[in-house]
Amino acid sequence: MGERIIYANFNLKGFDDPESKFYNYPPANLNVLNNISTKISLDIADHKPINRLIITSNGIDGIGFADNTFNINGLFFEKQKIYFTIKAKSIDNFPVKNLPKFKYNEDVSHNGNTYNLGLSVLKRNGKLLPTTFYSLSDDYNSGGYYRGYIKIDSKFQNLIIKSELKVNDSEYYNGNTTRFNIVGNDTYNFRKINENNNQTQNYKNLIFQDILNNKKTFFDDFLGTIVGNVSSNPNSLGIKIYEKISNFVSNNNDINYSNIDNLVSLLGSLDVDFQNVNLKFPASTKRLVDNLSINLSLLKGQKNQFNLNFDDKGTVNSNFLGINKGPVIDFYNESVNLNDPKFIIAKERFSEKYALLNTNLISAHDMRYFDKIFDAELKTEVDYDPLWNFSLITESGSAIIIENDFFIIQSKTPSRETGYYLLSDYKTNWGWGLVLPPDLGKSNFFKYEKNTFNSSQINIGNEFISFQENYYRLRDQNFDPIEGDQKNITKFYTFYEYLSSPLNGNMNQFIDFSNPSTTIGPLTSYGKYKEDGGIIDNIIIKNFLTNTNLLTSNE
Amino acid sequence: MSNLKINLSQIIINNSIVNNLQDEKLDTLNPFTFIEYLNYAKIIEEDIKSFNNYQDYIRKWSNFTKKTNTNFDSLIKTEFINLFKELKLNYTTYEESRFLKNLNYNDDKDLSIAIPFFAKKIKEIIFLYKNKRDTFSKLLRETKDKGSITNIKNYITSKITDIVNEDSFNVNIISNNPLSSLPAKIQIDIEESYDNFNDYYDLDPNKPPEFYNADFNRDFFYSSNTNTISGNDFIDFEKAIINFINTKDIKLSELNELSPKIEINEVNDDFLDNTDYNDYRKTNRENLKIFQQAELVKNLIGTDYFYLSTDDNKNFTFDNLFEGNNKVSNLLNINNPTTLSIPSTANIYERDTGIFYKPTKFSLLKMKGGFNRILKQDLKANKLYIFPDPSSFGNITGLSNSKNETPYEFIVDDSVFKNRSSSFGIRNPKLDSRDQGFYSYDSFQQKRVGLNHLSTFNSPIPNINNYGIIDSHFCDIYGNMYFSYIKDTSYIKFDTNQTFENDRKIFKSSNTRTSYVKTLSSKLDYFDKKNTEKNIYVLNVSTNKYQPISSTMEKVFKKYNFNSLLFDELNTNIREINVVYDIFSIKTDNFTLIDSYKYDGDFSNTSSNPLILNNNGPGLINSISNDYIVKDIIYKTRINMVPSASAHHDLYYYEFYSYNLNDKKFNTIVSKEKNSFDYFNDNFKIEIPAKVYSIKNSNLNFNSKTGLFSLTVQYLDLNENTYLHSLLYRIINNNLEIYSNKLFTPNNYFNTTTFYTSAGLTAYNTGTISSTPTLLSADGIVVL
């Protein structure tokens, strides 16, 4: 309501100006003649009508502009005091102060000199979370605001605090906080490898004298409280010292894992410029800075993806040895469908070496298939079934099919469509690289038909003749059907089914996931790890809150 | 210690935490001992009562400290608050700054609100360290590279990019490329310089100090840079001192300046100065510096030393002068023990030495051989010879190029050299596995000589005697092999009967053969071979037929039968052939042809446009350069004399062509059709002061470092003097940009005499001729 001008001068009290002394210029704080003054003029405006309610943590929400800096933080802990300040703001973001005091009341209507404020905490689905509101409003004369805090006792996601103000039936204002989460106090605890020393127990293990037996008070209540046990704070004497000794090398001289002090020292040895923070961290914070500055991938370690663990070293039921080796395969009768190929394991019997074999032989040279349908019905006697018009297969591999009471003899023919083949049909050209006698698995031989006569009229039927080595060229070279019998293969190899699941255990871990005090979870998302309000923030904020007694910790 | 109060009911203990006084507390860590207690409590009572009171004090003290223990949490809180106060936050807004600067750390509400901001800062610090872990290995590498050429290059690159990236850099750079691409586009070349001062060891002490970069003061104070071996220092003390005194230029003071230098022949200590002794004061003779220097010599010499001393009758004694103490470390000090430690400041750059002949590729050349020694007949009387171990070192100079006078004659022992059975290795010293050998340059042609004196290539095709020997062979992209035969045996004979000229300057004390008179030979030299007519044979990889090119490429050559001369020459007269991918370049007597062909088991022609360069006809000087391929483009240059050139044959068309191997098209860069006559007149008028008779060779080359083509044309005048025309040029966007255009002419040592006066004839012998002389009008010469 009008323009005001504010003048400003330097405070020149400390200067002694001889000229002004001469003139006896009175004001001590302006005792320099001809000094520079400045002024600003400001408009004092009429009161602005209330437009909305703004909720921030400390009431700093910008005068004439919207300042989101002090919005409610996104992360709180169970039982932590959540402070908030509600202010009435005009449409152009000026605080409206010429209002009565706000007071929390479930009846939100305007009541005389007080504005009753409705407050509620809402869950994500809009449902009310019953909460007690504590007022912190003071007795200053100004109005138009409300300060208070809440405490929430259990974990929740995406809560908001909602405020409502009803001036009259036609004037109704409200405002919400940004969304925040309430997390548990124990959610993101972690222990490093070797932070699992139970020094109390170590002392107890040294009890060899009867007189020290049953001295629970001494060992648990006295010594134990000094050094701590396995579930003590990781900065307790027993755990810290043990960790320092066990992890000495990595703590000191491994650039990926070393403590900050040693990292700085290593960097210093390189004579590189870098910003040294040079802060004296309290012990618990230092542990966090040391550990959280390690790359997440290294913190997590890796999962053991090794799935060629075949050798059981003679154990029968082991959780660690030979876990990828399945039951023995019946090599003579096992057939493989190329449409559903799998891996099998071959154990070389003389060397006890294992090899993983691919039964997908589509690209193998000169692949012969076997018709599964016939094989399934392998029988020695004729099994006549007029309804199905179908019959049996003889051992010689021929099928006798009966159609319309006629016997039709059909020989066993390989079928590419069915895609079946027998493991016992092993050929060297399958590419398995098995070490076998020369004739075993060869396909480069002929077998003379029955009643074949050579030039001397001698029957050479059923005799074998092989190709020349490495050439498909016929030569007078006898094939040894006994040595070349594929059944011999089991004398050299045992075949097993392949179980592809890896052990999946933790490897090279930095965080000790097997420690019951580690509750940090699998850390699968780097985004959640580093984001504002993420895991790192959570751990540090909790560290600060507990150590400044704003939150009681379990650790 | 003031405030002494005596209360009957309560004992006040001063300076203790148990009192309520505002005094200095001295028992915060430990309680007072009993004696201290008595002192601070200022009470005098019975001992037993005092002791009871002390126990009271201990109890109180204990209670008090226990109370502070329970307040442990608040200590920790203080520690954290101190941390918060130290954290330098980056404020994003003014309001944030105002709030955090005025934060009441003891107010739970304020603290609770501010903690997320502190946590954010700690997170920043965590990520700062995390990044340092990530970049550590890079930093480690940079550190290790410090001082290396690569590092200097990186450093300069980063400084240049810093300048451009800095805000204060006000120059407007307009570029289509992002600034991040700048480092990749900066090319830094660093030329290394080398210290090639050769005399750090074995330095001749008679050299002036300037020679080894030591001014006179340095020379004066650090005299051990160079040391002289004085034989008498080791043999005869008296004589050594006399010699030493005689170096002082003793003069008679009575005669002042006019005095002659006098020589003394007996030791008089008066002639010695304080500075001649070790301690700078006259003491025993054993303390004279010259004897210390003699010891120094032993420590710094790389060999044992011997002496041979003669008397009036030249009878001599021979013995060990001294043994070197550390011969291995001083291997190079043979004649002079030197410890020169002043680096030379005169450096030599790679550019000065040539790219390959860097000093780092140089090595010490140690000539190894065997020798016998005999005593010289003419030994001087009354002479002391000192010399390095004669069984190891002959009459050599070492690095210093100065040598001691030796009483021996050294004679080379022939048995240590290889004999004729070592072929080219004849006269090289015999080596064993402990020696490092240095080998002479072997030419490719030498290696090609087989036992039958025919050249051999590792090819499946034999030499065909009727058609000559294989001169070269190569493959096209399909695997067809081309062989060119020349009629020459190419046999290089090792000729030991040559008259060599000896040069003693190159290696001191040894002769180096530098030049020889070539015996007349019918063998073709390199240049002859290049230009001679060749028989080209092709092995067709598909049919396995080995035929002359005229039949193999019959279908290809048919394309050119529109020009019967070209067609004939292709079939009969090929002088040079190159095949790259599926493109051939053939040079015949009158043409150069570049074209592509197709191969599908048989050769056939393509429809592509060939590049045909012909000579400008008989009687006119011409030359076509070799093929030079740069980035899949063949470059060719044709030099044809302009028919209207003056009688000096001084004007030439220099025409430049290129042929792209990928799209198989040729391109004219400069030609007489494309460019004006003035262009050639301005650039290629050769100022040769004689009549050009022919162009012996024109050679095209390319330097990828400078991007310059170099064309060298060798003109010959009637006297076969060579004139070199060197043209350096760039080809940018199919335009020729001349970088340097120079002609090198020999000095003229020929005399001109006018014959039409009888006086002019006096200097010549005259005779009669039997035949009628003819004048060749074209060249203006008389043929007798």
Side-chain angles (χ1 to χ4, degrees):
Chain A
M1 288 185 290
E3 189 183 80
R4 296 289 183 274
I5 298 176
I6 298 175
Y7 289 94
N9 280 74
F10 288 113
N11 185 347
L12 300 165
K13 216 173 176 176
F15 292 88
D16 207 2
D17 184 20
E19 196 182 6
S20 63
K21 266 191 181 166
F22 178 76
Y23 287 109
N24 196 17
Y25 190 64
N29 57 343
L30 296 170
N31 69 354
V32 177
L33 292 178
N34 304 321
N35 77 54
I36 304 154
S37 62
T38 188
K39 68 175 194 296
I40 54 167
S41 56
L42 22 119
D43 286 329
I44 296 174
D46 199 357
H47 92 273
K48 303 264 179 153
I50 181 168
N51 174 264
R52 62 185 181 276
L53 300 176
I54 297 286
I55 310 179
T56 54
S57 56
N58 58 359
I60 299 175
D61 49 13
I63 299 170
F65 64 97
D67 186 351
N68 297 324
T69 316
F70 291 98
N71 278 351
I72 296 278
N73 192 31
L75 175 78
F76 293 99
F77 292 87
E78 290 171 344
K79 295 174 183 160
Q80 185 190 348
K81 285 180 182 172
I82 303 171
Y83 293 96
F84 62 91
T85 302
I86 302 169
K87 277 167 79 176
K89 301 275 292 235
S90 68
I91 192 162
D92 46 4
N93 280 312
F94 283 97
V96 184
K97 294 181 176 174
N98 57 345
L99 292 175
K101 284 180 183 156
F102 290 168
K103 193 181 170 194
Y104 167 55
N105 199 322
E106 286 179 16
D107 174 15
V108 298
S109 63
H110 178 202
N111 179 14
N113 281 335
T114 347
Y115 276 15
N116 286 337
L117 201 62
L119 288 171
S120 50
V121 175
L122 300 180
K123 291 192 257 190
R124 183 175 200 158
N125 54 13
K127 285 189 178 165
L128 189 72
L129 178 71
T131 319
T132 313
F133 288 87
Y134 302 93
S135 172
L136 287 172
S137 287
D138 43 38
D139 291 332
Y140 294 130
N141 288 328
S142 59
Y145 76 97
Y146 177 83
R147 296 200 311 174
Y149 68 88
I150 55 171
K151 265 191 197 176
I152 295 172
D153 290 344
S154 47
K155 294 182 226 178
F156 282 103
Q157 298 267 316
N158 292 312
L159 297 179
I160 55 167
I161 301 173
K162 185 181 180 187
S163 62
E164 300 162 274
L165 181 72
K166 190 175 176 185
V167 178
N168 53 46
D169 284 345
S170 61
E171 272 192 81
Y172 174 83
Y173 307 102
N174 65 9
N176 297 337
T177 59
T178 46
R179 294 197 176 270
F180 57 92
N181 299 334
I182 309 291
V183 297
N185 288 347
D186 287 335
T187 314
Y188 295 116
N189 288 334
F190 68 89
R191 290 297 171 89
K192 199 174 157 179
I193 285 286
N194 290 323
E195 281 185 339
N196 58 352
N197 183 37
N198 189 343
Q199 192 59 31
T200 308
Q201 189 58 44
N202 291 347
Y203 282 134
K204 284 185 183 173
N205 291 343
L206 294 174
I207 300 175
F208 295 113
Q209 294 152 307
D210 287 345
I211 193 170
L212 292 175
N213 261 336
N214 301 323
K215 299 288 188 210
K216 187 176 176 303
T217 315
F218 177 71
F219 281 102
D220 285 341
D221 299 344
F222 181 68
L223 269 183
T225 49
I226 293 172
V227 296
N229 57 27
V230 71
S231 55
S232 299
N233 185 304
N235 290 306
S236 65
L237 212 52
I239 292 180
K240 190 79 190 171
I241 290 175
Y242 182 79
E243 189 274 326
K244 277 192 165 212
I245 296 167
S246 314
N247 295 340
F248 182 81
V249 175
S250 72
N251 279 346
N252 287 282
N253 213 8
D254 186 331
I255 195 68
N256 285 323
Y257 294 104
S258 65
N259 293 337
I260 292 303
D261 296 343
N262 299 102
L263 175 69
V264 170
S265 161
L266 284 168
L267 286 170
S269 69
L270 289 193
D271 190 24
V272 289
D273 296 332
F274 68 100
Q275 187 191 348
N276 192 358
V277 179
N278 210 8
L279 285 172
K280 192 177 177 304
F281 295 109
S284 58
T285 312
K286 182 165 187 311
R287 174 176 173 269
L288 296 182
V289 176
D290 283 347
N291 293 343
L292 294 178
S293 64
I294 292 166
N295 276 324
L296 177 64
S297 59
L298 298 174
L299 283 181
K300 277 164 36 174
Q302 292 99 37
K303 290 287 181 188
N304 185 352
Q305 296 294 316
F306 182 69
N307 60 359
L308 300 175
N309 186 351
F310 300 138
D311 194 352
D312 56 17
K313 311 270 185 204
T315 58
V316 180
N317 279 319
S318 170
N319 291 328
F320 304 105
L321 295 172
I323 57 161
N324 297 114
K325 189 174 77 170
V328 176
I329 294 172
D330 179 2
F331 187 74
Y332 302 123
N333 296 320
E334 182 79 7
S335 64
V336 179
N337 186 350
L338 276 180
N339 299 321
D340 182 22
K342 61 182 180 182
F343 285 93
I344 62 170
I345 303 162
K347 179 188 179 187
E348 201 170 68
R349 295 178 68 157
F350 67 91
S351 68
E352 300 215 335
K353 282 182 181 164
Y354 292 85
L356 192 63
L357 307 177
N358 189 352
T359 61
N360 185 353
L361 299 177
I362 286 173
S363 56
H365 172 66
D366 192 23
M367 180 62 200
R368 309 273 171 90
Y369 295 88
F370 168 69
D371 204 326
K372 179 81 173 174
I373 302 166
F374 296 130
D375 187 53
E377 299 289 326
L378 194 71
K379 284 176 185 173
T380 50
E381 290 176 19
V382 174
D383 184 10
Y384 173 63
D385 185 350
L387 279 178
W388 287 97
N389 247 358
F390 191 76
S391 65
L392 88 164
I393 298 149
T394 63
E395 258 184 325
S396 65
S398 302
I400 301 167
I401 296 170
I402 303 160
E403 282 175 7
N404 304 326
D405 293 343
F406 287 101
F407 286 93
I408 297 168
I409 297 174
Q410 187 178 336
S411 66
K412 179 169 123 181
T413 49
S415 162
R416 179 173 276 275
E417 284 72 30
T418 58
Y420 278 95
Y421 68 93
L422 273 180
L423 284 183
S424 56
D425 283 345
Y426 172 76
K427 295 281 181 288
T428 49
N429 49 22
W430 287 4
W432 284 0
L434 302 183
V435 180
L436 292 169
D439 280 341
L440 189 52
K442 286 281 165 63
S443 52
N444 57 344
F445 60 85
F446 284 128
K447 188 180 178 186
Y448 290 113
E449 276 188 25
K450 277 180 190 171
N451 302 322
T452 309
F453 295 90
N454 65 6
S455 55
S456 311
Q457 295 303 310
I458 297 169
N459 191 348
I460 52 169
N462 285 336
E463 284 199 9
F464 290 90
I465 187 165
S466 68
F467 290 116
Q468 190 180 355
E469 202 67 31
N470 296 328
Y471 292 92
Y472 282 81
R473 189 157 68 181
L474 194 57
R475 213 181 71 151
D476 185 14
Q477 183 175 329
N478 283 333
F479 175 78
D480 184 347
I482 298 169
E483 194 197 83
D485 186 357
Q486 274 117 336
K487 288 182 178 174
N488 286 332
I489 201 166
T490 53
K491 291 178 183 165
F492 302 97
Y493 283 92
T494 314
F495 295 88
Y496 299 91
E497 283 181 17
Y498 175 58
L499 311 174
S500 63
S501 311
L503 188 59
N504 221 18
N506 290 313
M507 288 168 67
N508 300 330
Q509 47 183 346
F510 181 84
I511 291 177
D512 187 358
F513 287 100
S514 59
N515 192 320
S517 301
T518 299
T519 55
I520 198 164
L523 294 174
T524 44
S525 159
Y526 183 63
K528 284 199 171 137
Y529 176 72
K530 66 167 272 196
E531 71 186 359
D532 284 346
I535 295 172
I536 294 185
D537 278 355
N538 186 317
I539 293 171
I540 299 169
I541 290 175
K542 195 189 131 199
N543 175 260
F544 285 172
L545 289 173
T546 48
N547 286 297
T548 48
N549 304 328
L550 299 172
L551 192 70
T552 29
S553 161
N554 292 359
E555 267 200 337
Chain B
M1 288 270 233
S2 60
N3 301 329
L4 177 62
K5 290 177 186 172
I6 298 175
N7 187 319
L8 292 177
S9 61
Q10 192 183 9
I11 297 161
I12 302 288
I13 302 141
N14 285 295
N15 298 84
S16 167
I17 53 172
V18 298
N19 68 27
N20 293 324
L21 304 174
Q22 298 291 320
D23 54 359
E24 190 188 359
K25 308 298 182 195
L26 300 175
D27 57 350
T28 45
L29 294 174
N30 299 309
F32 292 136
T33 60
F34 185 57
I35 301 294
E36 283 171 334
Y37 163 78
L38 291 177
N39 195 15
Y40 287 112
K42 299 277 180 195
I43 48 169
I44 303 157
E45 284 177 346
E46 289 170 42
D47 285 355
I48 185 72
K49 202 172 178 184
S50 294
F51 196 70
N52 287 338
N53 286 336
Y54 179 64
Q55 283 177 329
D56 280 345
Y57 158 73
I58 292 292
R59 247 174 253 122
K60 272 187 198 167
W61 187 90
S62 169
N63 280 336
F64 196 91
T65 48
K66 206 187 274 174
K67 207 174 6 177
T68 53
N69 269 344
T70 56
N71 220 4
F72 189 63
D73 283 350
S74 73
L75 280 180
I76 289 181
K77 184 171 179 176
T78 315
E79 203 179 340
F80 272 82
I81 286 172
N82 287 337
L83 171 71
F84 297 156
K85 285 176 180 168
E86 277 180 40
L87 283 174
K88 294 184 187 79
L89 296 173
N90 297 323
Y91 305 113
T92 50
T93 65
Y94 172 73
E95 293 292 332
E96 186 185 329
S97 152
R98 192 163 67 94
F99 174 73
L100 293 172
K101 278 180 180 165
N102 298 314
L103 191 68
N104 179 1
Y105 288 95
N106 294 317
D107 180 35
D108 283 357
K109 176 174 168 285
D110 275 11
L111 203 55
S112 174
I113 291 165
I115 274 176
F117 291 92
F118 298 128
K120 202 170 165 186
K121 181 71 186 179
I122 295 289
K123 193 163 97 172
E124 275 173 24
I125 292 170
I126 284 173
F127 278 92
L128 175 81
Y129 285 127
K130 180 181 167 299
N131 288 339
K132 282 293 162 197
R133 290 188 204 268
D134 292 344
T135 54
F136 183 84
S137 50
K138 182 173 169 283
L139 293 172
L140 184 64
R141 182 166 186 82
E142 280 175 4
T143 307
K144 282 183 177 171
D145 280 352
K146 267 185 187 169
S148 68
I149 293 287
T150 320
N151 188 261
I152 293 168
K153 282 184 183 177
N154 290 343
Y155 180 78
I156 295 171
T157 311
S158 69
K159 285 295 158 196
I160 292 171
T161 46
D162 281 355
I163 290 169
V164 178
N165 288 336
E166 265 172 25
D167 293 340
S168 57
F169 190 71
N170 288 326
V171 179
N172 283 326
I173 297 175
I174 298 164
S175 166
N176 294 328
N177 299 313
L179 270 185
S180 56
S181 70
L182 185 66
K185 289 180 185 292
I186 294 175
Q187 187 185 338
I188 311 279
D189 282 334
I190 291 174
E191 194 180 336
E192 294 181 57
S193 73
Y194 300 92
D195 175 5
N196 68 340
F197 184 69
N198 214 15
D199 295 84
Y200 287 108
Y201 292 98
D202 208 10
L203 179 65
D204 188 346
N206 298 319
K207 294 263 187 200
E210 295 84 7
F211 176 75
Y212 51 91
N213 198 24
D215 57 24
F216 286 99
N217 281 337
R218 189 164 196 139
D219 178 48
F220 182 74
F221 289 114
Y222 299 95
S223 57
S224 67
N225 278 333
T226 59
N227 296 295
T228 321
I229 304 175
S230 168
N232 284 319
D233 292 356
F234 302 92
I235 304 167
D236 187 339
F237 278 19
E238 287 277 323
K239 264 193 182 168
I241 297 169
I242 291 167
N243 285 347
F244 176 65
I245 291 171
N246 282 332
T247 59
K248 287 169 170 285
D249 294 353
I250 308 288
K251 291 180 178 176
L252 298 172
S253 59
E254 289 81 1
L255 295 177
N256 294 328
E257 296 293 314
L258 301 169
S259 166
K261 202 176 113 185
I262 58 163
E263 291 247 337
I264 59 155
N265 54 9
E266 61 180 34
V267 178
N268 184 346
D269 285 1
D270 293 341
F271 290 125
L272 292 166
D273 300 319
N274 280 336
T275 51
D276 296 334
Y277 291 84
N278 281 333
D279 309 335
Y280 297 101
R281 59 192 168 88
K282 286 189 181 178
T283 47
N284 296 331
R285 287 183 190 173
E286 286 75 37
N287 288 330
L288 275 170
K289 277 202 285 195
I290 49 170
F291 301 120
Q292 295 290 324
Q293 275 168 350
E295 287 301 309
L296 190 63
V297 164
K298 285 187 197 175
N299 287 330
L300 295 173
I301 199 78
T303 170
D304 297 342
Y305 250 70
F306 290 79
Y307 74 92
L308 188 146
S309 176
T310 55
D311 63 6
D312 292 340
N313 300 322
K314 298 186 183 176
N315 299 317
F316 63 85
T317 52
F318 166 83
D319 202 356
N320 197 334
L321 185 65
F322 60 84
E323 284 184 8
N325 289 338
N326 199 353
K327 286 180 266 194
V328 175
S329 303
N330 301 300
L331 194 63
L332 300 174
N333 282 341
I334 293 166
N335 292 311
N336 300 297
T338 304
T339 53
L340 190 55
S341 54
I342 311 156
S344 161
T345 51
N347 292 330
I348 185 164
Y349 288 87
E350 272 179 9
R351 202 170 292 262
D352 303 326
T353 57
I355 301 298
F356 178 77
Y357 296 98
K358 296 175 183 175
T360 47
K361 289 191 172 156
F362 287 4
S363 182
L364 280 171
L365 182 63
K366 183 185 169 197
M367 307 292 270
K368 187 184 171 179
F371 50 81
N372 301 313
R373 62 178 189 272
I374 50 169
L375 213 52
K376 280 181 185 165
Q377 295 297 317
D378 54 345
L379 286 177
K380 289 172 190 162
N382 286 323
K383 168 109 181 150
L384 178 67
Y385 294 94
I386 55 169
F387 44 89
D389 185 357
S391 58
S392 299
F393 298 99
N395 186 19
I396 62 156
T397 61
L399 295 179
S400 62
N401 291 342
S402 62
K403 60 188 174 189
N404 293 322
E405 196 178 349
T406 175
Y408 290 105
E409 289 281 5
F410 293 95
I411 299 154
V412 172
D413 177 6
D414 271 343
S415 69
V416 299
F417 294 111
K418 291 178 181 171
N419 57 22
R420 185 172 274 280
S421 65
S422 300
S423 181
F424 294 112
I426 186 170
R427 301 299 291 171
N428 283 343
K430 286 177 181 168
L431 297 177
D432 62 35
S433 58
R434 291 167 298 176
D435 296 319
Q436 185 181 4
F438 294 89
Y439 298 94
S440 59
Y441 165 76
D442 291 338
S443 76
F444 182 52
Q445 285 182 325
Q446 270 177 300
K447 295 273 165 71
R448 278 170 44 201
V449 176
L451 286 175
N452 54 1
H453 294 160
L454 291 174
S455 74
T456 57
F457 275 109
N458 185 16
S459 75
I461 304 300
N463 293 302
I464 306 171
N465 287 327
N466 286 347
Y467 286 94
I469 60 158
I470 297 176
D471 177 58
S472 65
H473 75 127
F474 44 85
C475 283
D476 68 3
I477 198 170
Y478 305 106
N480 300 308
M481 296 181 84
Y482 295 75
F483 294 81
S484 70
Y485 291 87
I486 51 170
K487 286 181 180 170
D488 180 60
T489 55
S490 267
Y491 167 48
I492 295 178
K493 207 164 67 174
F494 189 85
D495 191 348
T496 49
N497 300 322
Q498 294 288 1
T499 319
F500 287 95
E501 287 193 16
N502 294 331
D503 187 341
R504 296 180 75 91
K505 288 176 193 162
I506 294 176
F507 291 108
K508 294 283 156 59
S509 311
S510 67
N511 290 330
T512 307
R513 290 170 179 179
T514 54
S515 63
Y516 68 97
V517 182
K518 187 185 173 189
T519 49
L520 288 174
S521 162
S522 61
K523 306 287 178 268
L524 299 177
D525 64 13
Y526 171 77
F527 185 74
D528 294 336
K529 281 183 193 170
K530 189 181 161 192
N531 281 338
T532 189
E533 191 180 309
K534 298 182 179 76
N535 285 306
I536 314 295
Y537 272 68
V538 184
L539 177 67
N540 186 326
V541 72
S542 171
T543 61
N544 216 22
K545 276 185 190 167
Y546 191 60
Q547 288 174 316
I549 194 165
S550 52
S551 49
T552 322
M553 292 202 142
E554 192 186 352
K555 288 181 188 166
V556 181
F557 289 164
K558 210 179 261 178
K559 180 176 172 183
Y560 316 106
N561 62 9
F562 61 90
N563 184 331
S564 57
L565 181 61
L566 171 63
F567 185 69
D568 282 353
E569 286 188 355
L570 282 175
N571 283 314
T572 59
N573 185 1
I574 293 178
R575 297 208 176 259
E576 207 178 325
I577 178 166
N578 276 315
V579 178
V580 188
Y581 306 152
D582 54 350
I583 288 154
F584 61 84
S585 162
I586 294 176
K587 191 173 177 183
T588 66
D589 269 355
N590 290 305
F591 295 92
T592 292
L593 168 70
I594 302 180
D595 201 1
S596 64
Y597 59 88
K598 274 192 289 198
Y599 179 78
D600 53 1
D602 195 8
F603 292 85
S604 56
N605 58 38
T606 62
S607 60
S608 63
N609 239 349
L611 173 66
I612 302 173
L613 302 172
N614 61 328
N615 294 341
N616 55 356
L620 292 174
I621 296 160
N622 59 68
S623 174
I624 292 180
S625 77
N626 53 314
D627 299 331
Y628 204 92
I629 302 175
V630 180
K631 289 178 183 167
D632 277 357
I633 294 176
I634 302 180
Y635 290 92
K636 273 275 189 199
T637 307
R638 173 170 68 177
I639 300 149
N640 274 344
M641 195 179 95
V642 178
S644 62
S646 76
H648 275 87
H649 294 177
D650 57 353
L651 183 58
Y652 294 87
Y653 289 122
Y654 276 63
E655 291 166 298
F656 299 85
Y657 299 91
S658 67
Y659 189 93
N660 192 320
L661 295 175
N662 294 324
D663 60 16
K664 291 164 188 160
K665 284 178 184 163
F666 71 87
N667 209 343
T668 310
I669 299 161
V670 171
S671 72
K672 59 185 171 189
E673 288 81 20
K674 190 177 169 187
N675 296 67
S676 67
F677 178 79
D678 288 345
Y679 177 81
F680 300 102
N681 200 24
D682 291 346
N683 291 309
F684 304 115
K685 189 157 190 179
I686 310 295
E687 302 288 344
I688 293 178
K691 179 171 180 172
V692 174
Y693 182 64
S694 71
I695 297 175
K696 186 167 188 193
N697 191 18
S698 58
N699 190 53
L700 185 62
N701 221 319
F702 179 72
N703 184 334
S704 59
K705 194 172 175 72
T706 56
L708 284 171
F709 286 88
S710 167
L711 176 71
T712 312
V713 188
Q714 189 181 353
Y715 290 96
L716 296 182
D717 70 5
L718 287 168
N719 290 313
E720 299 236 330
N721 289 320
T722 298
Y723 299 84
L724 288 177
H725 178 214
S726 163
L727 183 71
L728 297 181
Y729 59 92
R730 287 194 177 89
I731 292 176
I732 299 166
N733 294 335
N734 207 36
N735 282 318
L736 186 93
E737 190 182 275
I738 293 176
Y739 179 77
S740 145
N741 189 358
K742 283 181 186 164
L743 182 76
F744 299 90
T745 57
N747 286 329
N748 185 5
Y749 294 115
F750 294 93
N751 252 332
T752 306
T753 311
T754 46
F755 289 111
Y756 46 79
T757 59
S758 57
L761 282 172
T762 51
Y764 296 88
N765 294 322
T766 52
T768 53
I769 52 172
S770 54
S771 60
T772 312
T774 51
L775 177 72
L776 294 182
S777 60
D779 302 331
I781 56 172
V782 178
V783 179
L784 300 178

